[in-house]
Amino acid sequence: MAFGIRLKVAGPRACFTRPEMKVERVSYDVMTPSAARGILEAIHWKPAILWVIDAIHVLKPIRFQSIRRNEVGQKAPASKIKTAMNRQSLEGLALIVDEDRQQRASTVLTDVAYVIEAHFEITARAGPEDSEGKHLDIFNRRALRGQCFHQPCLGTREFAADFELLSPDGPLPAAIGETRDLGFMLWDIDHAAAGRPSLFFRAKLEEGVLRVPAPGSTEIRR
Amino acid sequence: MTTLANRYEFVLLFDVIKGNPNGDPDAGNLPRLDPETNHGLVTDVSLKRKIRNYVELARDGAPGLNIYVREGAILNEQHRKAYKDLRPDDPKVDKEAKLNPKGDGEARALRDFMCRNFFDVRTFGAVMSTGINCGQVRGPVQMTFAHSAEPIVPLEVSITRMAATSEKEKVEREAGDDGSDRIENRTMGRKHVVPYGLYRAHGFVSAKLAERTGFGEDDLELLFEALENMFEHDRSAARGEMASRRLIVFKHASSLGHAHAHKLFERVRVGRNVDGEFHEIDDRLNNFLPARKFSDYAIEIDRDGLPDGVEIIERL
């Protein structure tokens, strides 16, 4: 791949929540392509480019841990904010956490490390000054120096990701020698379509490597 | 308010003496443990709660420093009732306000209003049901789980209370009683404490996200002040003695930063203090005595070969 990049990411914990088990969160076994895209976008992104994930290498055994936390069950209601704005008074605009307490367990991955193989494509929103080389340079420079727009995370923000750029032609760290069927996995969310439908694909781990179908592939189901 | 022009990372070291820094609801309120390593854990949300509480307490609703996600009953709620009595046309506003915002512009106005007025929305972000782009505010400050420097061994302490909760319980107790006065009405409870634990938390401040929420230099100063002092105002029977011990801040000269965060964090090393010397803690069983005070630990900050554009600020 001409404009391919390889980024190693690691962290003590990760939670790539399965959409069907999002109340008491259960993580997928492996990082989803959309989470990988989010990590790359945290380092460099412009509307002119679109990150495409080619493969995800799993470098450490897949293990889980359970964490239960007190959470709130409510979002900030827009109506109350509007009332406060109109009245020019903040009274009553607060969320009282112990009155809306939910205890939720999360089943999260522990001690993870991945290599993300990806490339980007130029989108229709690109201007004349957007060349592939320019964006690749920016990404490589940032990733090499540890610069980022915001610290990337492994699924949720409390699980920060350490990242490291690997050279495009150097050897890859060895993936776990495991082959398993991961079932249907979230590929990404179609942000352009109405209702933002989720897209899925049949994920298979082959010798520790998850190949991700390209956008528009027939392997991607709605 | 001046906007933030620099990226920051910070390491917070705090300790607990005979207390429970963060109970695990899954384990009967035992201190949280990593089941694989027995290291103690404190969740990010637990620390954020304390930051919010500190700001609420220290600034007491100063303009722009309100706290949205609050704990406990609020006196303002009472004020609001009075307010409603004075303004009988309020229910109309409530009724009308059931509608979602009508467009992007309005959603943006709502988000800006929340960011401007609430310190915690501006700092940590919030999810607001505005219906447009989920109305999410992503805050510039991100924190991770705090880990103890060494495995911890929580103690279970049984305690007694010389009173019964209900009349029924009293009768039941008397029935099974051997007649001695001392047992009458007595109930037993449990406390879980960590004899000593030094915890380490990591945090990130993104200047780029700060631009979007209006998180400024003053807010950053307040955040650090909260990290330094939050345990001073969080005393309770369960917590024991907790204190912020060190706060080490890495300041980057630009908004995108100049070094990998994890490499900067590696510069702060926590070891055991053995006769004034730094000893690495590793997974082997060392014959160290169990740590019981902060001086049993030695903290080293590696300043050699610091990448250009990164500055270490020791706040505490």
Side-chain angles (χ1 to χ4, degrees), chain B residues 12 79 97 107 201 243 249 255 270 293:
Chain B
L12 173 71
H79 301 171
V249 178
S255 59
V270 177
K293 53 188 183 302

Side-chain angles (χ1 to χ4, degrees), chain B residues 13-17 196-199 241-245 294:
Chain B
L13 296 174
F14 60 94
D15 66 352
V16 58
I17 304 170
Y196 184 82
L198 179 68
Y199 288 76
E241 292 171 46
M242 292 185 75
S244 294
R245 291 294 188 166
F294 183 59

Side-chain angles (χ1 to χ4, degrees), chain B residues 206-279:
Chain B
S206 156
K208 288 289 182 189
L209 291 178
E211 270 171 30
R212 295 186 179 179
T213 68
F215 180 89
E217 296 284 353
D218 300 352
D219 293 323
L220 185 78
E221 187 56 36
L222 180 56
L223 174 77
F224 289 148
E225 181 191 321
L227 288 168
E228 287 160 18
N229 298 315
M230 59 190 182
F231 298 113
E232 307 296 333
H233 305 280
D234 188 55
R235 305 287 178 211
S236 80
R239 297 273 175 260
E241 292 171 46
M242 292 185 75
S244 294
R245 291 294 188 166
R246 300 293 292 273
L247 177 60
I248 298 138
V249 178
F250 297 97
K251 181 180 181 182
H252 298 255
S254 71
S255 59
L256 285 172
H258 293 271
H260 288 274
H262 64 279
K263 294 205 175 128
L264 294 178
F265 290 142
E266 281 166 11
R267 291 178 172 270
V268 178
R269 297 194 300 146
V270 177
R272 285 297 289 271
N273 177 6
V274 181
D275 299 328
E277 274 179 42
F278 183 93
H279 276 253

Side-chain angles (χ1 to χ4, degrees), chain A residues 66-80:
Chain A
S66 166
I67 300 163
R68 187 177 291 271
R69 281 172 288 187
N70 288 332
E71 299 179 9
V72 285
Q74 215 189 27
K75 296 179 201 167
S79 57
K80 275 201 168 177

Side-chain angles (χ1 to χ4, degrees), chain A residues 68 79 95 97 146-147 149 157, chain B residues 26 32 68 70 97 206 257:
Chain A
R68 187 177 291 271
S79 57
L95 195 74
V97 286
Q147 297 186 319
F149 186 89
R157 286 192 86 193
Chain B
D26 251 351
R32 285 185 193 275
Y68 183 70
R70 286 192 222 181
S206 156

Side-chain angles (χ1 to χ4, degrees), chain B residues 149-191:
Chain B
E150 285 183 285
I152 56 165
V153 183
L155 294 182
E156 192 176 303
V157 183
S158 288
I159 49 173
T160 57
R161 177 176 69 165
M162 302 310 284
T165 315
S166 62
E167 192 64 31
K168 186 168 161 259
E169 193 181 301
K170 188 186 169 197
V171 173
E172 275 169 13
R173 277 181 197 285
E174 276 171 345
D177 191 347
D178 61 2
S180 125
D181 288 350
R182 293 190 61 238
I183 304 168
E184 195 184 347
N185 283 1
R186 204 165 73 165
T187 41
M188 293 196 75
R190 273 171 222 291
K191 274 184 113 155

